[in-house]
Amino acid sequence: MKFKEQIYGMKAYQPGKPIEEVQKEFGLKEVIKLASNENPFGCSPKLKEFIKNNDINYAIYPDGYAQELRTAVSKHLGVEENQLLFGSGSDDIIAIISRALLYPGVNTVMADPSFSQYSHNAEIEGAEIRKVPLKDGKHDLEKMFEAIDENTSIVWICNPNNPTGTIVADEELSAFLKKVPKEVLVVLDEAYFEYITDPAYQDTLHYVEEYPNVIIMRTFSKAYGLAAFRVGYAIGQADVISKLEPVRAPFNNTVLSQKVAIVALEDQEFIKETVERTERAKRQYEEFCKKHGLKYYPSQTNFILFEVKTDSDVIFQEMMKRGFIVRSGNALGTPGFIRVSFGTEEQNSKFLETLEGVLKEQGALV
């Protein structure tokens, strides 16, 4: 069969292990998953009531244009409806953008390490991938600008960055956007936007109006706690969005996902509470790292990347045996570190107590 040559040797995205698989493998009654940056506080309580009291006709296709959701998001953000593109999670938006702008002969620039789906989709489309190493865990925008040439099609900026959780300060971003050629699309991936509390970050929506070559991606999967429903969206100038719309698969958001996203958007009190609880969780981990002299990156997300002073895979396995699923830095391009999603206060305390014991067993702590 005539598969694309670049597909050979590629591997599918490897998510964190499912709870059920870990329970079965190690004979555990309780497993706490802290690997996929999900919201440990769930979603808006209004959703359960909505789902309980609203019937869905499962035989009817969803609205392919997501009109009701489109209207709700446009009002929430203060943008025009035709400036929005909806996808089945941010991954779908990344695939749409990549399919529309990447092909053999062009290149795409991104930080390293950063979200793996940028390079994954670029590889599928046969584009050249230019990875620019992070500087102290942050995007090195100067070096990324130097990597741009006449064949560059897309620059990806993950802000905050996954897996380090760091942000690009507005002053740096503004200077960068002024220099980037107008024919190069700059994608600001803001999946963790709602969690940002650092004043060095400023809302980026105004850049969409100032620069036709800027697109912002956001999602309902993280702070809104709707990862199971797969709703992501992009904001750009209407002309750019209109060129991406034909690439989008029809009916890519389900009837139910569109409706629950509207309900979730209306409950901003839940988002405020989520951010406050996440900040408290962050302090638990930062205090642990400071206590034991472990390097960590200052996170503006619902996860933290910190060193374990030993083999990341060993810590990953030992913690999994004890009922905790995290991500090994070896899988993220950050060996010697682990990435941990924040849980509830009780879950975090249990995890850190267990981790302390494991690190001592491994000789990483004295």
Side-chain angles (χ1 to χ4, degrees):
M1 290 182 281
K2 299 183 176 80
F3 288 108
K4 285 183 174 181
E5 183 179 344
Q6 53 266 32
I7 289 177
Y8 290 97
M10 288 186 70
K11 294 181 179 180
Y13 177 76
Q14 296 295 314
K17 277 200 171 188
I19 290 174
E20 296 76 15
E21 183 180 333
V22 175
Q23 284 178 317
K24 184 177 180 181
E25 182 177 352
F26 297 105
L28 299 168
K29 290 184 178 181
E30 181 187 25
V31 170
I32 298 173
K33 185 182 178 187
L34 303 173
S36 300
N37 308 338
E38 296 147 333
N39 191 335
F41 315 119
C43 58
S44 168
K46 295 180 180 180
L47 283 177
K48 290 183 179 179
E49 182 180 350
F50 173 83
I51 293 172
K52 181 180 179 181
N53 297 322
N54 286 268
D55 291 327
I56 301 294
N57 185 341
Y58 300 112
I60 304 298
Y61 282 110
D63 173 10
Y65 194 60
Q67 184 61 65
E68 287 186 55
L69 177 58
R70 184 177 298 273
T71 299
V73 173
S74 93
K75 287 181 178 179
H76 178 70
L77 297 177
V79 301
E80 298 298 323
E81 293 185 4
N82 60 3
Q83 289 185 259
L84 297 170
L85 175 74
F86 288 91
S88 179
S90 294
D91 303 302
D92 190 25
I93 301 290
I94 293 169
I96 290 169
I97 293 172
S98 298
R99 189 177 180 190
L101 285 103
L102 297 181
Y103 45 87
V106 302
N107 66 70
T108 178
V109 177
M110 64 200 69
D112 182 39
S114 193
F115 188 44
S116 63
Q117 290 304 288
Y118 311 145
S119 59
H120 183 86
N121 281 278
E123 191 170 354
I124 290 172
E125 301 303 333
E128 178 192 349
I129 300 166
R130 297 183 174 181
K131 294 185 177 183
V132 178
L134 296 175
K135 186 178 181 180
D136 298 324
K138 300 179 180 180
H139 284 64
D140 188 342
L141 293 187
E142 288 188 14
K143 293 294 184 183
M144 290 180 72
F145 177 72
E146 291 174 8
I148 297 172
D149 64 15
E150 67 276 7
N151 294 318
T152 303
S153 185
I154 306 175
V155 175
W156 304 90
I157 299 178
C158 191
N159 193 28
N161 187 47
N162 182 5
T164 55
T166 55
I167 60 164
V168 174
D170 186 66
E171 185 178 355
E172 296 176 67
L173 180 60
S174 178
F176 177 77
L177 293 177
K178 287 177 183 176
K179 297 188 295 183
V180 174
K182 297 299 179 282
E183 65 272 15
V184 176
L185 180 69
V186 179
V187 182
L188 306 179
D189 185 350
E190 299 185 342
Y192 301 92
F193 157 76
E194 290 84 4
Y195 290 107
I196 302 174
T197 58
D198 190 332
Y201 170 91
Q202 299 293 315
D203 196 323
T204 53
L205 281 177
H206 67 97
Y207 288 125
V208 169
E209 299 305 317
E210 295 170 27
Y211 300 101
N213 61 324
V214 170
I215 278 185
I216 298 168
M217 296 194 307
R218 293 179 181 171
T219 184
F220 284 91
S221 295
K222 305 303 180 184
Y224 285 94
L226 301 185
F229 291 101
R230 313 306 300 125
V231 184
Y233 61 95
I235 312 128
Q237 290 199 8
D239 181 59
V240 177
I241 296 297
S242 70
K243 290 180 173 63
L244 294 172
E245 276 286 357
V247 184
R248 178 181 61 82
F251 316 119
N252 61 333
N253 291 118
T254 69
V255 173
L256 187 56
S257 65
Q258 292 180 34
K259 291 185 179 297
V260 298
I262 294 171
V263 176
L265 192 65
E266 293 170 349
D267 192 356
Q268 289 301 307
E269 190 60 36
F270 173 78
I271 298 300
K272 180 182 177 183
E273 182 183 344
T274 288
V275 173
E276 289 173 353
R277 296 176 74 178
T278 300
E279 283 295 299
R280 291 198 293 270
K282 186 193 303 182
R283 287 194 288 272
Q284 286 181 274
Y285 284 84
E286 289 178 345
E287 288 169 5
F288 177 86
C289 290
K290 290 174 183 175
K291 174 184 175 183
H292 295 294
L294 302 174
K295 180 182 177 181
Y296 67 92
Y297 291 104
S299 177
Q300 290 294 307
T301 65
N302 65 340
F303 63 82
I304 188 168
L305 182 74
F306 63 95
E307 70 171 339
V308 288
K309 294 186 176 180
T310 188
D311 190 329
S312 304
D313 285 347
V314 171
I315 301 304
F316 164 75
Q317 288 291 340
E318 290 300 319
M319 292 302 293
M320 192 159 54
K321 290 177 186 177
R322 292 160 173 79
F324 296 95
I325 310 172
V326 298
R327 291 301 296 270
S328 167
N330 289 348
L332 302 170
T334 56
F337 285 68
I338 58 172
R339 193 192 69 189
V340 184
S341 307
F342 301 139
T344 64
E345 185 175 354
E346 182 183 2
Q347 289 174 337
N348 296 331
S349 296
K350 286 182 179 179
F351 173 82
L352 292 172
E353 182 181 352
T354 305
L355 178 63
E356 185 174 43
V358 169
L359 291 178
K360 286 179 178 178
E361 286 179 9
Q362 298 298 318
L365 297 181
V366 292

